[in-house]
Amino acid sequence: MPRASLAILVIDENRIRASIIEAGLREAGHDNVTLVHDVTGIARRIAEINPDVIVIDLENPNRDMLENMFQLSRAVKRPIAMFVDRSDQASIEAAVEAGVSAYVVDGLKQERVKPILDMAISRFNAFARLSRELEEARSELADRKLVERAKGILMKSRGMTEEAAYALLRKTAMNQNRKIAEIAQSLVTAAGLLEPGDKG
């Protein structure tokens, strides 16, 4: 999707500051910009608008306002650029923890909006890619453990070697057009059902 076609939501209670952000976005070729000045019910508004990117400007944020925005950031799973006039180390760390892609302190200038937005999108995409890769690695590890358990069950119950047990799992998976991990899961589940339970 070309950057210019991004749907961008700007959340800013200060209309003057919002117009600075909007001008920076429009100057950068972003025409699909929605401004929201009232943060009441903002989660619902975000769901309605369904933006690709969110820009939040908090002129003079208090701790509660920041925490609300950080909770929002965790929930929406989109690139978020946040401008604040002042901050402390704890707020910066909380922003990073919440997944805010760009947290800019005392830097709201029209000419900075585009590069900051681009950075927020890039960082969000990089983080999303890393998260996907981590999830894939975890899934692969879980699958391997499952296959190992299934091989162990076959080796014990049928007196097979490890290689023969794996070959049987593989052949069954191919015959059923399924993944080896799925066959392994079925075998582990079935073996669990066949184990003698407590007789109490």
Side-chain angles (χ1 to χ4, degrees):
M1 170 184 355
R3 290 275 163 96
S5 68
L6 290 173
I8 302 171
L9 172 62
V10 177
I11 301 170
D12 196 336
E13 293 181 311
N14 182 316
R15 292 174 188 273
I16 294 169
R17 290 170 64 94
S19 67
I20 293 170
I21 294 171
E22 182 181 22
L25 292 170
R26 293 198 186 283
E27 188 177 282
H30 296 289
D31 294 323
N32 190 357
V33 179
T34 304
L35 301 179
V36 172
H37 301 293
D38 183 5
V39 295
T40 308
I42 194 63
R44 182 180 46 77
R45 291 296 310 276
I46 289 171
E48 290 168 2
I49 296 165
N50 194 25
D52 297 307
V53 186
I54 299 172
V55 178
I56 301 171
D57 178 47
L58 302 173
E59 182 179 10
N60 200 8
N62 60 36
R63 178 75 57 200
D64 289 343
M65 172 70 84
L66 279 174
E67 185 51 41
N68 288 341
M69 289 300 136
F70 295 157
Q71 285 177 1
L72 181 70
S73 174
R74 285 185 202 97
V76 298
K77 299 196 182 344
R78 287 177 177 82
I80 293 181
M82 187 177 287
F83 291 90
V84 295
D85 273 0
R86 58 183 173 75
S87 191
D88 55 28
Q89 189 61 36
S91 296
I92 292 168
E93 289 171 7
V96 171
E97 183 72 26
V100 172
S101 308
Y103 187 77
V104 183
V105 181
D106 193 25
L108 180 58
K109 294 182 179 67
Q110 182 175 327
E111 63 275 9
R112 292 189 69 199
V113 172
K114 181 190 182 313
I116 288 168
L117 185 76
D118 289 345
M119 181 185 70
I121 293 168
S122 295
R123 286 189 66 198
F124 177 83
N125 289 339
F127 183 75
R129 187 177 61 251
L130 285 173
S131 295
R132 267 195 316 275
E133 289 170 2
L134 178 61
E135 191 50 46
E136 286 168 8
R138 283 181 178 151
S139 177
E140 193 175 305
L141 182 60
D143 286 353
R144 283 186 188 171
K145 286 181 178 178
L146 205 51
V147 169
E148 288 300 315
R149 283 183 63 196
K151 285 193 305 188
I153 291 167
L154 288 173
M155 289 162 63
K156 184 177 176 184
S157 66
R158 297 183 65 173
M160 302 176 110
T161 65
E162 184 176 354
E163 292 78 17
Y166 183 78
L168 180 58
L169 287 170
R170 188 166 177 259
K171 181 180 178 203
T172 305
M174 288 174 66
N175 289 344
Q176 295 184 15
N177 199 21
R178 293 167 65 195
K179 293 180 179 178
I180 292 177
E182 292 173 6
I183 299 299
Q185 179 64 66
S186 298
L187 180 61
V188 168
T189 301
L193 292 172
L194 294 173
E195 282 178 3
D198 293 334
K199 296 179 180 177

